[in-house]
């Protein structure tokens, strides 16, 4: 029996990954179980509801699981066969007929094109190219029982490798793969559970990863940021790292002399980072240009204080920030904080439930001076003017009040509205505008509506709450326009240089801050 156990332990070292049907697990124990004949494998299943216990049977602990019902015992004979990467690739790519084209690569192409259905043409040509190892630049063997490298030196042009959801479980195996593929740049290891490398293993294996640029470790079971930093010592010069769906929640300051020395892109999508103070701990990564924080439950953004006219010396290279699907409750305050970042120019964000997209965009563009793209759409000059002018008007009364209350009050106002002094320089003092907003507004405003093509002018009183679409209808009837719906914009009477497009038919003139005696241009 001892000999059998020893042989099983050699074949299934602790940490080995197994797959039975569609269930993945990790070997946590090899040996006898009291009251049960033979040798058993103690398994911690990835699905915490798949097992029956937490490693304790009949009062004796054999191993430990994170979830109370993630553990069970199985016979070694129930474990399916494993394969090398070489064998899996040959099986997937050498049998080249149109029905055998790599479906996973098609799925990846669909995702990149954001199209669930599209026709793939030239299937036989693609299949034949896939069958020639020396021509392959991308290989995907996801969801196969790969747990070793094999001979890979035929893949002379391989730049991208997907081993997502395989049975690879240690960094020695990963290193044996990468050191045979000198052209490899992109490695997808997502949904694998990898044993934490020791200091001696890091020293030995690190050279095998020096040519890699992008590593995907999404859903790899990381729960402690210290484990991420220790693993990162294997590839200190990586450019892009994805840690999506690893429940980290707490971060720590990075030693950028040892790791992340060239990191430009970091994906922390759905990692339970609810406290933005944790994110700030990464602010010393001076090369970081893009940070993804989608779906983290972040409610508030707070950065260190600095003078209103200054920028912070943190996140010094950060240009792109993705905050989609975070319940940030005070958008204006959040955008004011983000204006402290020296190079931020791309922002993705979902509107708050009490806001809408147009209002969010207006606040973001008006509050973040350097913003150039919002949700991947370029901010136009007209949108910037309109957004800045909205902010200029909104806080004009408060500005006039604090200028009479002394330096401390003015300084506090500028902390809360960092871009406002710049807007005053750009659009002038709001002194003339303030009295107009202190009196009760009339429901009607008088406008000059100018048909640019003919020069005809129509003086007309209209309700403040009239929609752009309704005004378009009046204009078409008045100027006898039958062939095309006119595009409208307006000149501010007090600031003629300001031209604001009326580009949302559902919005009212009041939404666009159209005032008495403003001029509407019919284009």
């Amino acid at each position: 029996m001892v000999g059998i156990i020893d042989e099983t332990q050699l074949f299934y070292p602790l940490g080995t990954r197994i797959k039975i049907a569609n269930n993945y697990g990790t070997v946590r124990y090899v040996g006898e179980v009291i009251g049960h004949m033979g040798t058993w494998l103690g398994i911690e299943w990835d699905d915490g509801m798949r097992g029956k216990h937490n490693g304790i049977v009949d009062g004796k602990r054999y191993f430990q699981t994170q979830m109370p019902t993630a553990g069970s015992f199985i016979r070694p004979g129930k474990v399916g066969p494993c394969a090398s990467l070489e064998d899996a690739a040959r099986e997937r790519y050498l049998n080249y007929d149109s029905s055998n084209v790599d479906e996973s690569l098609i799925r990846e192409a669909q995702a990149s094109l954001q199209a669930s259905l599209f026709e793939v043409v030239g299937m036989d040509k693609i299949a034949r190219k896939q069958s020639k190892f020396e021509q392959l630049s991308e290989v995907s063997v996801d969801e196969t029982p790969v747990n070793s490298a094999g001979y890979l030196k035929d893949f002379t042009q391989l730049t991208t490798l997907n081993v997502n959801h395989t049975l690879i479980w240690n960094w020695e195996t990963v290193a044996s793969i990468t050191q045979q593929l000198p052209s490899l740049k992109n490695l997808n290891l997502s949904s694998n559970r990898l044993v934490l490398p020791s200091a001696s293993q890091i020293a030995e294996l690190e050279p095998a990863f020096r040519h890699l640029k992008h590593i995907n470790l999404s859903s790899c079971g990381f729960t402690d940021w210290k484990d991420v930093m220790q693993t990162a010592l294997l590839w200190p010069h990586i450019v892009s790292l994805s840690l999506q769906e690893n429940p980290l929640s707490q971060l720590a300051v990075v030693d950028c002399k040892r790791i992340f020395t060239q990191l430009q892109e970091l994906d922390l999508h759905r990692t339970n980072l609810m406290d933005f103070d944790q994110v700030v701990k990464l602010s010393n990564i001076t090369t970081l240009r893009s940070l993804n924080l989608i779906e983290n439950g972040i409610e508030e953004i707070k950065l260190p204080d600095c003078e209103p006219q200054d920028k912070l010396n943190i996140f010094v290279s950060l240009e792109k920030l993705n905050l989609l699907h975070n319940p940030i409750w005070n958008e204006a305050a959040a955008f004011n904080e983000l204006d402290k970042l020296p190079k931020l120019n791309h922002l993705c964000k979902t509107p708050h439930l009490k806001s809408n997209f147009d209002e969010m965009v207006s606040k973001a563009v008006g509050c973040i001076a350097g913003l150039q793209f919002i949700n991947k759409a370029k901010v136009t000059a007209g949108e910037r003017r309109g957004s800045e002018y909205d902010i200029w008007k909104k806080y004009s009364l408060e500005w006039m009040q604090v200028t009479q209350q002394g330096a401390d009050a003015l300084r506090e106002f500028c902390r809360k509205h960092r871009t406002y002094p710049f807007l005053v320089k750009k659009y002038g003092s709001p002194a003339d505008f303030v009295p107009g907003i202190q009196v009760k507004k009339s429901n009607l405003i008088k406008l000059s509506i100018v048909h640019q093509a003919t020069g005809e002018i129509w003086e007309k009183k209209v309700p403040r709450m009239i929609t752009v679409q309704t005004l378009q209808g009046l204009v078409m009837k008045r100027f006898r326009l039958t062939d095309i719906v006119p595009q409208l914009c307006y000149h501010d009477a007090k600031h003629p240089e300001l031209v604001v497009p009326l580009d949302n038919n559902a919005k009212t003139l009041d939404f666009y801050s159209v005032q008495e005696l403003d001029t509407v241009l019919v284009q």
Side-chain angles (χ1 to χ4, degrees), residues 256-316:
C256 292
K257 293 182 180 179
R258 303 184 68 201
I259 61 173
F260 300 159
T261 61
Q262 300 177 32
L263 187 67
Q264 296 182 21
E265 300 177 358
L266 180 59
D267 185 352
L268 296 173
H269 177 182
R270 203 181 297 164
T271 49
N272 295 346
L273 290 171
M274 301 178 69
D275 186 350
F276 200 79
D277 287 345
Q278 297 299 320
V279 179
V280 174
K281 293 177 182 180
L282 305 177
S283 62
N284 67 319
I285 305 177
T286 59
T287 55
L288 188 64
R289 296 179 61 249
S290 176
L291 180 59
N292 184 352
L293 297 172
I294 294 177
E295 289 186 275
N296 272 301
I298 296 170
E299 295 183 352
E300 183 181 18
I301 292 178
K302 185 64 178 174
L303 292 167
D305 285 334
C306 69
E307 292 300 317
Q309 70 276 13
D310 295 336
K311 300 289 187 179
L312 291 169
N313 190 31
I314 63 173
F315 288 120
V316 294

Side-chain angles (χ1 to χ4, degrees), residues 468-482:
V468 173
Q469 184 176 25
T470 303
L471 181 60
Q472 284 176 324
L474 294 176
V475 167
M476 292 176 69
K477 184 175 181 181
R478 175 65 176 78
F479 293 120
R480 298 176 294 280
L481 305 176
T482 58

Side-chain angles (χ1 to χ4, degrees), residues 376-403:
K376 299 184 179 181
K378 185 171 179 58
V379 177
T380 66
E383 287 172 333
R384 184 172 304 283
R385 285 193 302 269
S387 299
E388 290 176 345
Y389 197 48
D390 284 345
I391 296 295
W392 182 85
K393 287 184 176 181
K394 182 175 183 179
Y395 298 110
S396 57
L397 177 59
E398 190 176 352
W399 167 265
M400 295 303 299
Q401 290 172 341
V402 298
T403 56

Side-chain angles (χ1 to χ4, degrees), residues 494-512:
K494 295 179 180 177
H495 299 276
E497 76 283 358
L498 185 69
V499 180
V500 180
L502 303 176
D503 51 7
N504 189 326
N505 291 347
K507 296 299 182 182
T508 65
L509 297 188
D510 190 61
F511 171 82
Y512 285 103

Side-chain angles (χ1 to χ4, degrees), residues 207-461:
F209 299 101
R210 290 178 182 173
H211 53 290
L212 288 183
K213 298 297 182 184
H214 311 276
I215 293 183
N216 188 342
L217 292 175
S218 301
S219 302
C220 283
F222 285 106
T223 59
D224 191 328
W225 182 249
K226 292 181 180 178
D227 293 344
V228 174
M229 291 194 292
Q230 181 171 337
T231 304
L233 291 168
L234 287 167
W235 17 266
H237 309 302
I238 203 71
V239 172
S240 173
L241 175 63
S242 176
L243 294 168
Q244 179 177 335
E245 295 188 343
N246 287 287
L248 293 165
S249 73
Q250 301 287 320
L251 302 180
V253 176
V254 171
D255 183 354
C256 292
K257 293 182 180 179
R258 303 184 68 201
I259 61 173
F260 300 159
T261 61
Q262 300 177 32
L263 187 67
Q264 296 182 21
E265 300 177 358
L266 180 59
D267 185 352
L268 296 173
H269 177 182
R270 203 181 297 164
T271 49
N272 295 346
L273 290 171
M274 301 178 69
D275 186 350
F276 200 79
D277 287 345
Q278 297 299 320
V279 179
V280 174
K281 293 177 182 180
L282 305 177
S283 62
N284 67 319
I285 305 177
T286 59
T287 55
L288 188 64
R289 296 179 61 249
S290 176
L291 180 59
N292 184 352
L293 297 172
I294 294 177
E295 289 186 275
N296 272 301
I298 296 170
E299 295 183 352
E300 183 181 18
I301 292 178
K302 185 64 178 174
L303 292 167
D305 285 334
C306 69
E307 292 300 317
Q309 70 276 13
D310 295 336
K311 300 289 187 179
L312 291 169
N313 190 31
I314 63 173
F315 288 120
V316 294
S317 297
L318 187 66
E319 298 177 357
K320 300 179 181 180
L321 180 62
N322 195 329
L323 292 170
L324 289 173
H325 307 298
N326 283 285
I328 296 170
W329 55 272
N330 189 331
E331 291 179 336
F335 297 148
N336 187 67
E337 290 294 301
L338 292 176
D339 182 65
K340 297 176 181 178
L341 299 179
K343 289 192 176 181
L344 184 66
N345 54 48
H346 287 60
L347 179 67
C348 290
K349 186 187 174 299
T350 312
H352 188 272
L353 291 176
K354 293 184 179 180
S355 179
N356 60 54
F357 180 76
D358 290 332
E359 291 174 358
M360 182 199 74
V361 170
S362 180
K363 284 184 280 190
V365 175
C367 293
I368 304 175
L371 198 63
Q372 297 176 15
F373 290 84
I374 180 78
N375 289 9
K376 299 184 179 181
K378 185 171 179 58
V379 177
T380 66
E383 287 172 333
R384 184 172 304 283
R385 285 193 302 269
S387 299
E388 290 176 345
Y389 197 48
D390 284 345
I391 296 295
W392 182 85
K393 287 184 176 181
K394 182 175 183 179
Y395 298 110
S396 57
L397 177 59
E398 190 176 352
W399 167 265
M400 295 303 299
Q401 290 172 341
V402 298
T403 56
Q404 304 299 317
Q405 295 171 4
D408 290 343
L410 181 60
R411 189 164 178 266
E412 185 59 27
F413 173 88
C414 292
R415 283 184 180 277
K416 294 179 180 178
H417 311 288
R418 289 174 49 86
T419 59
Y420 204 83
F422 164 76
L423 299 181
V424 171
K425 289 182 180 180
K426 186 172 183 178
Y427 299 110
S429 170
D432 294 336
F433 177 70
V434 169
I437 65 171
Q438 290 176 318
V439 298
K440 184 177 180 181
K441 291 181 179 180
S442 169
N443 289 329
L444 296 176
I445 52 176
K446 185 177 180 180
L447 301 176
S448 293
I449 303 174
V450 179
H451 191 308
Q452 288 188 299
T454 64
E456 185 177 356
I457 300 176
W458 180 29
E459 303 287 344
K460 175 69 175 174
K461 284 190 174 183

